Amino acid sequence: MHLEFLVEEASLESALTQLLPKILPSTVTYKIHAFRGKTDLLAKLPNRLKGYQAWLPPDWKIVILIDEDREDCLKLKQQLEIMAISSGLITKSSCQKDKSFQVLNRIVVEELEAWFFGDVEAIRQAYPKVSPNLANQKKYREPDAIKGGTWEALERVLRNAGYHQGGLEKYKASSEISKYMNPESNLSKSFKVFYQGLLEIINSKQV
């Protein structure tokens, strides 16, 4: 089996580079394609999917991963679904139960940094000076519901601990934190949905 990941930018690619070997068995191959932001991904996605539809082998799956960015999650998901179905591909949400699908659409709520707050221990392993009480602070207990933006919150936490003083370097932080993340124990709801989707793919007997 082979998975094609289409993601909106390089920091998400960096995180997946660290995370996927912890999730996927060695028998599953994959390739990550990073775009130049959400707008770029959405603009190019229809033609990209039509290209896949013309030759996609039966044991290949496409995983599309995009930030919510405070948009309407359901509308964004529907937009991705329509693009895939219009290209002649079968999505997980549109296929019948126990039938094979080709595309898994997943939304990062609200941004990649929420996944990092879902694993505070990974943040602290990457940045040891971060407060050990971070996980106990009420505003960080629900990673997908952090107010004021998750990347802004992560920047604030790291700067207060003496890191990223010139501003959050998203790619660098992504690489350093995801290295220590444990997919099985992440508290972010959107990460759990993404993780479960991958498990369903690799555990499926259908190709």
Side-chain angles (χ1 to χ4, degrees):
M1 180 179 286
H2 177 82
L3 305 182
E4 290 277 295
F5 289 85
L6 307 182
V7 304
E8 66 176 69
E9 40 87 26
S11 62
L12 191 44
E13 177 186 19
S14 173
L16 289 182
T17 299
Q18 302 279 1
L19 289 169
L20 291 178
K22 303 177 186 180
I23 301 172
L24 303 176
S26 58
T27 53
V28 177
T29 60
Y30 60 88
K31 187 170 184 180
I32 307 168
H33 305 271
F35 290 74
R36 296 180 179 178
K38 185 176 187 176
T39 301
D40 183 49
L41 172 57
L42 291 174
K44 293 177 178 175
L45 192 55
N47 285 337
R48 187 67 173 260
L49 292 176
K50 288 176 183 176
Y52 278 123
Q53 195 278 332
W55 61 269
L56 196 71
D59 62 342
W60 282 42
K61 309 285 185 186
I62 302 164
V63 181
I64 301 169
L65 202 52
I66 192 168
D67 283 359
E68 179 194 56
D69 288 328
R70 298 167 224 182
E71 288 189 41
D72 186 311
C73 184
L74 294 178
K75 287 184 179 179
L76 182 57
K77 175 74 177 296
Q78 187 63 22
Q79 184 179 2
L80 296 178
E81 289 287 310
I82 291 172
M83 286 182 182
I85 294 169
S86 298
S87 301
L89 295 166
I90 302 170
T91 67
K92 184 180 186 302
S93 297
S94 67
C95 77
Q96 296 179 352
K97 187 177 180 181
D98 298 327
K99 296 295 182 181
S100 182
F101 61 90
Q102 298 163 297
V103 178
L104 177 70
N105 289 312
R106 286 293 177 259
I107 311 296
V108 182
V109 181
E110 64 183 53
E111 299 163 312
L112 173 63
E113 288 74 19
W115 288 9
F116 301 152
F117 278 109
D119 192 339
V120 169
E121 183 56 33
I123 295 177
R124 294 204 63 250
Q125 284 184 273
Y127 301 104
K129 289 188 287 183
V130 167
S131 170
N133 295 319
L134 182 64
N136 297 323
Q137 295 180 37
K138 185 176 180 181
K139 57 185 173 183
Y140 301 127
R141 287 178 191 165
E142 292 187 45
D144 297 3
I146 293 173
K147 295 181 179 180
T150 49
W151 82 261
E152 293 93 338
L154 182 63
E155 180 181 61
R156 187 164 55 250
V157 166
L158 295 183
R159 290 184 72 174
N160 287 344
Y163 305 101
H164 291 262
Q165 293 299 295
L168 182 66
E169 299 175 61
K170 295 187 71 171
Y171 184 89
K172 184 176 184 227
S174 175
S175 299
E176 293 174 340
I177 296 171
S178 58
K179 183 191 312 180
Y180 298 103
M181 288 173 67
N182 180 357
E184 295 182 6
S185 61
N186 198 290
L187 299 179
S188 163
K189 291 181 181 178
S190 71
F191 182 85
K192 289 178 180 179
V193 172
F194 166 70
Y195 178 53
Q196 186 59 40
L198 292 186
L199 293 183
E200 288 182 28
I201 288 177
I202 61 180
N203 291 329
S204 174
K205 294 180 181 179
Q206 299 169 355
V207 295

